[in-house]
Amino acid sequence: MTRAILRRVGAGVLVLWAAATAAYLALLAAPGDTVDAIIGDGADSPLIRSQIIQEWHLDRPAVVQYVDFLARAVQGDLGRSYLLQRPVAEVIGGQLGPTLQLAATAAGFGIVLALVLAVVARRPWVRRLSSTTELVLVSTPPFLIGIVLLSLFSFRLGWFPVSGAQGAAALVLPAITMGLPIAGTLAQVLRDGLDRALDEPFAVTARARGLRESAVLVRHALKHALLPTVTMLGWSFGVLIGGTVIIEQVFGRPGLGQVTVQAVNASDLPVVLAVVILAAAVFVVVNTLTDLAYLVIDPRLRRS
């Protein structure tokens, strides 16, 4: 058990290091000058440029700057934003709440809808309709779904706010936009797992004991069908975190999406690196929770 935990921790650290290194190299190779990014629209002169280079230690080799960045990151110091001149931890922390709220709400909506589509829609004609709907949801880009929902429920009917994050009503359309494709994917995986589980000997035995089909489905088959669904759910949550960058732009919501777009456009290296590290950390945590969920769902894995 100790070795397994150490392997998991080591793999997580390796993922964080690889993500930070890849982002650092990509931004280093991007066009543009760091000094220009820091100056922005402010006053520009040779003296100011010299002071900026000395203050931010930009005269040191790129390798030294990279090692210094890793050393500070390990200590929890993510640097200062070039654009906002504030600590990166403060910039990210102020926008993390709305993004996590949106991702969690979208995930919850997607899970509930997937269960309904996979468990309730068992009749042939309902199943065909559900499968077609899932295919459409999975194939449609989320930003297009968001634009359609905005046009119908905000601009035409006026039921929900067009933009912002004030109140629960402003969360409905973005969460539905992100949750619908996730629901389509999870429903397909869950239905396939249910179909296989209902053909297993334990399901036949349960029917022979007089259990109704709905009881066999919920009490026996559903638990066996959850493992691949949980795997897909872990992947989907990572997609949700990344998808907020686009969806927050579509709905004009505050969050990491707005911060990331501004940082990329302004070549704000510290903020971009912090967002990448945060996304990698979420990926590691979600995958760890997924592995723990396996042990809860299938007791046989605990013995192995």
Side-chain angles (χ1 to χ4, degrees):
M1 180 63 71
T2 302
R3 287 197 300 267
I5 294 175
L6 291 176
R7 282 198 302 269
R8 169 60 66 180
V9 172
V13 172
L14 183 61
V15 169
L16 292 176
W17 170 79
T21 301
Y24 186 89
L25 294 176
L27 291 171
L28 195 65
D33 184 61
T34 303
V35 177
D36 292 334
I38 297 175
I39 291 176
D41 297 329
D44 187 4
S45 70
L47 178 59
I48 292 177
R49 286 180 172 271
S50 176
Q51 292 173 346
I52 290 175
I53 290 174
Q54 292 179 3
E55 179 182 354
W56 293 86
H57 306 293
L58 299 178
D59 53 342
R60 295 184 296 179
V63 175
V64 176
Q65 295 183 49
Y66 167 72
V67 173
D68 181 61
F69 159 73
L70 290 181
R72 287 187 288 103
V74 170
Q75 299 173 6
D77 182 9
L78 299 175
R80 293 179 61 85
S81 167
Y82 295 162
L83 180 64
L84 302 176
Q85 295 296 310
R86 292 164 51 197
V88 172
E90 181 182 320
V91 175
I92 299 297
Q95 300 297 325
L96 183 59
T99 295
L100 291 181
Q101 181 188 43
L102 174 58
T105 305
F109 171 75
I111 292 171
V112 172
L113 183 57
L115 286 171
V116 172
L117 292 175
V119 176
V120 177
R122 302 302 299 176
R123 293 184 179 182
W125 68 271
V126 179
R127 179 170 179 153
R128 287 194 296 269
L129 178 61
S130 176
S131 298
T132 303
T133 303
E134 294 160 11
L135 181 61
V136 172
L137 293 178
V138 172
S139 304
T140 306
F143 75 88
L144 183 58
I145 297 177
I147 292 174
V148 172
L149 293 179
L150 269 177
S151 300
L152 178 60
F153 294 105
S154 294
F155 293 116
R156 178 166 298 183
L157 298 177
W159 291 356
F160 300 100
V162 175
S163 62
Q166 290 76 30
L171 187 62
V172 173
L173 292 185
I176 292 177
T177 299
M178 299 181 64
L180 285 177
I182 299 301
T185 302
L186 294 180
Q188 291 176 343
V189 175
L190 182 58
R191 182 182 294 107
D192 184 64
L194 286 173
D195 291 342
R196 289 197 304 268
L198 289 172
D199 291 334
E200 294 290 332
F202 71 84
V204 178
T205 302
R207 295 189 188 97
R209 290 168 50 196
L211 287 180
R212 293 183 300 177
E213 188 67 20
S214 59
V216 175
L217 180 70
V218 175
R219 292 170 55 183
H220 297 282
L222 183 59
K223 191 172 184 178
H224 286 75
L226 282 180
L227 280 180
T229 307
V230 168
T231 301
M232 186 59 66
L233 180 60
W235 168 84
S236 300
F237 198 84
V239 173
L240 283 174
I241 295 296
T244 56
V245 175
I246 298 175
I247 300 305
E248 286 175 354
Q249 292 291 313
V250 172
F251 288 92
R253 287 181 56 86
L256 290 182
Q258 298 278 3
V259 171
T260 303
V261 171
Q262 292 176 2
V264 171
N265 290 334
S267 299
D268 197 342
L269 180 64
V271 174
V272 175
L273 289 175
V275 171
V276 171
I277 293 174
L278 176 62
V282 170
F283 174 82
V284 171
V285 171
V286 168
N287 277 273
T288 301
L289 294 178
T290 300
D291 291 343
L292 294 176
Y294 291 161
L295 303 179
V296 175
I297 296 171
D298 193 346
R300 296 173 298 179
L301 298 177
R302 304 174 202 169
R303 294 191 293 268
S304 63

